[in-house]
Amino acid sequence: MQNPKLPHSQKLFRALVRVLPFDFRTNYEGEMEGVFREQHREAEERGGFLEALRLWKETIVGIFATAPQEHWQILVGDCGYAFRMMRKNLWFTAVAILTLALGIGANTAIFSVVHAVLLRPLPYPQGHQLVFLRQQAKKLGIEDMQFSVQEILDYRAQNRTLSGLVEYHDMSFTLFGHGDPERVRTGVVSANYFDLFGVKALLGRTLLPDDDRPGAPPVLLLSYEYWKNNFGSDPAIVGKTFELNDKVHTVVGVLPPVPQYPNENDVYMPTSACPFRSNKTHVESRDMRMMEVFGRLKPGLTIEQASADFSAIAAGLKSAYPKSYPDDIGFTSVASPLQEELTHTARPTLLLLLAAAAFVLLIACANVANLTLARMARRERELAVRSALGAGRSRLLRQLLTESLLLACAGGLLGLLLAYSSLTLITDFVGRLTPRAREIHIDSQVLLFTLIAAVGTSIVFGTLSALLSRTNLSSSLKDGSSGAGLGRRHNRMRSTLIVCQIAFSFMLLIGAGLMVRSLIKLQQVDAGIVPQRVLAMRTNFNWAKYTGPETTEVVVQKLLERVKSEPGVLSAAVSSRYPFEPEIITGGPESVSFSFQIEGRALEAGQAPPVSTFASVSPDYFTTLGIPLKAGRLLADTDKSKAPDVVVINESARRKYWPNEDPIGKRVSGDGGEHWVSVVGVVGDVREFGLDRTPPPEFYGAQAQNAQPATLIVRTAAEPRSMARAITQAVHDVDSQTAVTHVLTLEQARYESMASPRVTASLLGTFAGLALVIATAGIGGIMALMVSQRVREIGIRIALGARPASILRMVLRQGMLLAGLGVAMGAAGAFVLTGLVKSLLFEVPPTDILTFSAVGAMLLSAAALASYLPARRASAIDPTEALRAD
């Protein structure tokens, strides 16, 4: 018996010696054992735990240094024996490997995402020096006001912290010369854009300063994916020409397969080739903002210094141009690391999924440890006989650890395959949160993580089984019968593992339940439109043909007349925005917001001006989408370009800006009072910026007065998808050079807008489902084991008069006690951790009583079902057979 007066360090040291396979008495000469014992005694005399560990390390190193060949032989023998035992117990082996594979696979998949998105540096030279610059109007709630050409020139000339500053914006143009007219997403960038990122062309060259000069020959740079998918990786693509914006563009290069920030584009062009960016009015106006700006820090400078530098420049601009930067908008500018800018949206979701995967792995480890302990109960005789034949304790423990390691490695390999097969699904999901999704892959560090996870799990459940192994020969031989128990310590450990499994499962199920409840709430939201039998498609006109509002108004009128003449079309309209557009949902209302003034209302000093979003729509837009009229009138065919400018507002705008008066007839101006627009109607709110967002104030202008026909919306009498081809042909009948893309029903668009919460709920639900199955199987297994160990006791109880029903209740009570303790612990943990999902929920509190109650009832029901079968078996035990077996 261990001396209770020994210091804690000595007790811990002796525990290490007793558990780990250090004693090689059966394989080496006695003097080696003597050296080990002498060092152990020296460590105890000194009483220092660190000294004990040092001597322990020296002993192990010395042992392995004496006979490496013999050790390899022993290892091969252990592995061979372990394989034979695994083959002999196929059911245990299959269940253990599958359980570990699910846990390790889930963690490997999520870690590959976290590593690629959150941990890995940007794939550019000195990527930590890249920064994203942002102008803000804090009093208007605008976090990213974008930049005008004049502002970019000012920041480029006045900053002292950047070695380079470049601009970027993306547009959709129509490309001709490669089959049918094709919509291409085009990045419009400074000539030194790729030099700042350190990207060299795979073929040809990147953009040169001469390409950015006004009047320079138009050139294009193709992305690697576009070149590969659309041109079959044609090595002779450089020098070929394509028509874009009524100009012939020459391909000068192909980019390598590198991530594109901030968005994926098909082609890139210099600013001089963009008809909007190169427009003289746009270049000279300080208030026409549409560009994003990136920079590279000078060596040795920090992001804080860059932010201070740009804040000072913003203050100077505010002083020099008070009309463009009035005091009431709270104008400033800041810099942030590009890596942080690209990942801040994805971080909460990914960390939540990583925590869920870790819980699954812990539950898997606990379950396999329980399975191993149950298997140990059937191997007591074997281990006792081996011990009687001369195998030392360390020899037995090493064998058990070898078996655990092989199981974990097999589970790790299968888990790696599961993770690899799920990468496409996960990448598509993460792609909605961050442009870094394309960097996700299985690399050496992910493989190392899988190896560590496998070895770690083997140590966890292998050490648990080793710690609880028996060493007393006579008691092992005696207790080897099926009717004997293994002692309180064994049962206590197994029960503890079950309680932990249930607790972890409860926390996972709570997270999944809250996300599912949130998703259900989201699906039930009234978006303010009638999406049934509505088809939407992007229409990309060749803007070089429609240079003014008059020509655009004519082609829009022809388009609507042609589409409405198609059989089965009830109504049609055009809009400047696509319903539930992903880019708008990601950017939020701020991405299409503008400030305005209301006639007759002077702003007080420091007061922020009113802000609203804007959409340009044709008269039948509201009828086509089923948006109800609340007051006044809708837009009409008489609202032409030469008629007085009018807008229709939504109810949010009326409540916020005209709460106690009739807004009909009121006038607003978005250009400082130079032009006034009259409010002619009020319509219902539409949640097109996301079903989880409160509709912002919104203005709808007449398409004829604000020509921006980017989307065609059609309500049909029949299934809209069946009419997609006919409507597309109708568009081409009006203008064969118009590219038609993103053809979806409005129900599909609404469904896709919920992709992120839906996939998050699905992943969490999958993890929680795995945890529930594993935990339920664990309860059933431990109760079955307890029954098998208590056959003699139960037989005696029945022989003494106990009724089968009382035996059934006794076993059920034990199982439900474990489940109740697990649920209580899980509820306490869930209350602590619900903050992780709070930001992802919609109209569901993180401590939702209904979810907690439902999850608790589900777990208790599963535990009752898992305990019932062993309990029924116990109640049917024949006392005669039980006593005869003993």
Side-chain angles (χ1 to χ4, degrees):
M1 182 180 295
Q2 191 178 45
N3 184 356
K5 297 183 179 180
L6 285 175
H8 289 295
S9 61
Q10 295 182 27
K11 292 181 182 179
L12 185 54
F13 181 79
R14 286 188 172 183
L16 288 172
V17 174
R18 185 170 63 250
V19 174
L20 297 176
F22 303 151
D23 185 1
F24 290 83
R25 294 191 298 271
T26 60
N27 307 99
Y28 297 99
E29 299 296 331
E31 58 265 20
M32 185 60 66
E33 181 180 353
V35 171
F36 184 83
R37 291 179 180 276
E38 182 63 29
Q39 291 184 338
H40 180 200
R41 188 180 303 110
E42 182 182 350
E44 287 188 331
E45 291 174 356
R46 297 185 182 182
F49 178 61
L50 294 179
E51 180 66 17
L53 289 181
R54 184 185 68 79
L55 294 174
W56 166 61
K57 176 182 176 183
E58 291 178 358
T59 301
I60 300 306
V61 172
I63 290 175
F64 277 91
T66 57
Q69 184 176 358
E70 289 85 344
H71 282 294
W72 279 112
Q73 293 174 353
I74 294 171
L75 179 61
V76 171
D78 287 346
C79 290
Y81 184 80
F83 278 121
R84 289 193 296 273
M85 293 302 298
M86 291 166 63
R87 186 175 58 188
K88 183 179 178 181
N89 299 273
L90 288 179
W91 181 88
F92 164 79
T93 301
V95 172
I97 290 177
L98 181 59
T99 301
L100 290 173
L102 293 174
I104 295 175
N107 278 267
T108 299
I110 299 301
F111 176 79
S112 66
V113 174
V114 172
H115 176 253
V117 174
L118 302 182
L119 302 180
R120 183 185 293 147
L122 294 177
Y124 300 115
Q126 303 297 317
H128 64 279
Q129 294 179 346
L130 295 173
V131 297
F132 178 75
L133 307 175
R134 182 189 292 110
Q135 292 189 133
Q136 298 176 329
K138 288 187 172 297
K139 293 183 179 180
L140 301 181
I142 300 176
E143 295 296 320
D144 187 1
M145 202 166 70
Q146 300 185 323
F147 292 78
S148 65
V149 175
Q150 292 300 311
E151 289 169 338
I152 291 173
L153 296 176
D154 289 335
Y155 285 107
R156 185 175 288 157
Q158 298 178 32
N159 88 85
R160 300 178 180 180
T161 54
L162 302 181
S163 60
L165 186 147
V166 296
E167 66 175 88
Y168 165 93
H169 76 276
D170 62 77
M171 304 194 72
S172 293
F173 296 123
T174 306
L175 183 142
F176 306 97
H178 179 57
D180 293 333
E182 183 179 3
R183 174 183 178 267
V184 290
R185 186 161 185 169
T186 307
V188 182
V189 298
S190 308
N192 60 332
Y193 183 84
F194 297 102
D195 294 334
L196 181 127
F197 281 86
V199 175
K200 305 296 182 183
L202 179 67
L203 295 177
R205 63 172 176 84
T206 57
L207 303 179
L208 301 176
D210 286 345
D211 297 326
D212 229 358
R213 289 184 294 102
V219 297
L220 286 179
L221 193 62
L222 306 185
S223 70
Y224 178 84
E225 290 75 18
Y226 186 72
W227 169 65
K228 179 181 178 180
N229 297 331
N230 293 65
F231 297 99
S233 302
D234 181 8
I237 190 67
V238 176
K240 291 188 176 181
T241 58
F242 300 92
E243 184 179 343
L244 200 71
N245 301 323
D246 204 29
K247 294 180 181 179
V248 176
H249 292 65
T250 303
V251 176
V252 296
V254 176
L255 292 174
V258 296
Q260 303 176 55
Y261 302 132
N263 297 307
E264 299 279 342
N265 291 292
D266 300 317
V267 301
Y268 289 86
M269 65 170 55
T271 59
S272 61
C274 176
F276 300 95
R277 165 64 175 79
S278 60
N279 181 274
K280 181 180 179 181
T281 302
H282 190 99
V283 170
E284 295 177 351
S285 174
R286 179 168 293 276
D287 300 323
M288 295 187 69
R289 303 180 177 95
M290 63 183 293
M291 274 77 72
E292 305 283 358
V293 172
F294 302 89
R296 181 178 285 276
L297 289 172
K298 292 179 180 179
L301 298 185
T302 65
I303 192 69
E304 290 77 15
Q305 291 173 306
S307 289
D309 185 23
F310 275 81
S311 180
I313 296 174
L317 296 179
K318 182 178 176 181
S319 176
Y321 307 99
K323 184 177 180 180
S324 297
Y325 315 100
D327 293 336
D328 51 21
I329 69 171
F331 175 74
T332 187
S333 62
V334 296
S336 59
L338 179 59
Q339 183 167 4
E340 178 182 315
E341 184 66 27
L342 297 174
T343 59
H344 73 276
T345 302
R347 185 179 299 273
T349 300
L350 296 186
L351 292 180
L352 173 64
L353 293 177
L354 184 62
F359 277 144
V360 172
L361 184 58
L362 289 174
I363 295 169
C365 287
N367 195 65
V368 174
N370 250 337
L371 287 173
T372 306
L373 292 175
R375 184 165 168 251
M376 286 289 295
R378 295 176 173 84
R379 296 184 63 184
E380 285 294 312
R381 282 184 178 275
E382 171 208 338
L383 297 176
V385 170
R386 293 184 66 188
S387 179
L389 294 176
R393 179 176 177 79
S394 62
R395 182 70 181 84
L396 299 178
L397 299 184
R398 187 177 65 209
Q399 179 64 49
L400 295 176
L401 289 174
T402 301
E403 294 176 16
S404 299
L405 181 60
L406 290 177
L407 282 174
C409 288
L413 287 175
L414 181 57
L416 187 62
L417 292 176
L418 294 175
Y420 184 80
S421 64
S422 66
L423 277 187
T424 301
L425 172 64
I426 294 178
T427 300
D428 291 342
F429 163 61
V430 178
R432 301 175 182 273
L433 304 175
T434 172
R436 298 203 69 181
R438 62 175 298 171
E439 299 177 56
I440 299 172
H441 61 276
I442 303 293
D443 59 9
S444 59
Q445 291 178 304
V446 176
L447 292 176
L448 178 61
F449 171 84
T450 305
L451 177 61
I452 293 174
V455 174
T457 53
S458 71
I459 291 174
V460 170
F461 68 79
T463 302
L464 284 174
S465 61
L467 279 170
L468 296 179
S469 66
R470 304 289 293 271
T471 59
N472 186 282
L473 176 60
S474 60
S475 62
S476 296
L477 291 172
K478 180 180 178 180
D479 292 346
S481 68
S482 63
L486 288 180
R488 293 182 178 178
R489 184 175 60 161
H490 297 69
N491 290 331
R492 188 183 303 118
M493 175 58 72
R494 287 195 292 265
S495 298
T496 301
L497 292 174
I498 288 296
V499 170
C500 291
Q501 286 185 65
I502 295 174
F504 290 144
S505 301
F506 186 90
M507 288 186 278
L508 269 181
L509 286 166
I510 284 295
L514 290 173
M515 289 299 300
V516 169
R517 285 260 294 149
S518 178
L519 183 61
I520 293 173
K521 290 275 189 181
L522 202 59
Q523 292 172 336
Q524 295 173 344
V525 168
D526 180 7
I529 60 176
V530 181
Q532 291 77 18
R533 300 198 312 278
V534 176
L535 190 70
M537 56 182 67
R538 288 196 177 105
T539 50
N540 301 274
F541 289 91
N542 183 355
W543 297 113
K545 294 172 59 177
Y546 309 105
T547 56
E550 294 81 7
T551 56
T552 304
E553 182 180 354
V554 170
V555 73
V556 168
Q557 189 62 34
K558 289 182 179 179
L559 174 65
L560 291 175
E561 290 175 356
R562 173 65 183 85
V563 171
K564 289 178 181 178
S565 68
E566 194 70 26
V569 172
L570 300 179
S571 63
V574 295
S575 171
S576 60
R577 291 209 301 266
Y578 196 94
F580 306 110
E581 187 173 8
E583 290 84 357
I584 295 294
I585 290 177
T586 301
E590 297 81 8
S591 60
V592 289
S593 292
F594 74 103
S595 60
F596 63 95
Q597 66 183 89
I598 300 174
E599 187 178 28
R601 294 188 191 176
L603 297 177
E604 299 178 359
Q607 182 182 1
V611 177
S612 175
T613 64
F614 181 81
S616 174
V617 301
S618 62
D620 286 339
Y621 176 82
F622 305 102
T623 302
T624 303
L625 290 183
I627 302 174
L629 176 67
K630 299 296 184 178
R633 69 172 177 87
L634 299 176
L635 299 175
D637 292 332
T638 55
D639 296 319
K640 301 291 186 180
S641 56
K642 296 182 180 180
D645 291 345
V646 296
V647 293
V648 169
I649 65 173
N650 67 347
E651 286 193 294
S652 291
R654 177 172 66 176
R655 286 193 298 268
K656 186 169 184 178
Y657 300 125
W658 292 278
N660 301 314
E661 56 183 317
D662 185 3
I664 306 302
K666 305 298 182 184
R667 299 204 305 169
V668 297
S669 174
D671 57 6
E674 295 185 13
H675 300 87
W676 293 93
V677 182
S678 299
V679 177
V680 296
V682 180
V683 295
D685 289 334
V686 178
R687 292 179 179 256
E688 60 181 306
F689 294 97
L691 298 176
D692 57 341
R693 290 179 174 173
T694 301
E698 186 153 16
F699 286 7
Y700 298 94
Q703 181 70 216
Q705 297 172 349
N706 306 272
Q708 302 175 48
T711 302
L712 174 65
I713 303 171
V714 182
R715 180 170 290 278
T716 63
E719 166 60 38
R721 282 172 293 192
S722 64
M723 300 189 63
R725 184 180 295 275
I727 295 174
T728 300
Q729 184 58 49
V731 175
H732 288 154
D733 288 345
V734 175
D735 187 345
S736 61
Q737 294 186 334
T738 300
V740 177
T741 61
H742 207 65
V743 181
L744 291 176
T745 67
L746 211 56
E747 290 176 299
Q748 289 176 312
R750 186 182 191 275
Y751 181 79
E752 286 193 359
S753 73
M754 297 182 289
S756 179
R758 186 175 63 252
V759 177
T760 302
S762 298
L763 289 174
L764 270 180
T766 300
F767 292 157
L770 290 175
L772 179 61
V773 170
I774 294 172
T776 304
I779 295 174
I782 192 65
M783 297 310 299
L785 177 63
M786 288 182 176
V787 169
S788 67
Q789 292 170 352
R790 299 174 63 185
V791 168
R792 182 173 181 274
E793 173 201 336
I794 295 174
I796 293 174
R797 285 175 179 266
I798 296 176
L800 293 177
R803 292 180 176 275
S806 65
I807 299 297
L808 181 72
R809 286 194 299 270
M810 178 186 71
V811 178
L812 279 175
R813 184 168 57 250
Q814 291 175 346
M816 295 307 293
L817 177 61
L818 295 177
L821 288 173
V823 168
M825 290 178 57
F831 272 109
V832 175
L833 298 178
T834 45
L836 291 174
V837 298
K838 184 177 181 179
S839 62
L840 304 176
L841 301 180
F842 173 72
E843 293 186 356
V844 176
T847 56
D848 181 53
I849 299 300
L850 179 60
T851 303
F852 273 72
S853 302
V855 169
M858 181 190 301
L859 266 176
L860 292 175
S861 299
L865 180 62
S867 302
Y868 176 74
L869 296 178
R872 184 176 178 182
R873 177 188 167 197
S875 65
I877 288 176
D878 185 345
T880 305
E881 295 294 332
L883 295 175
R884 182 183 298 120
D886 186 60

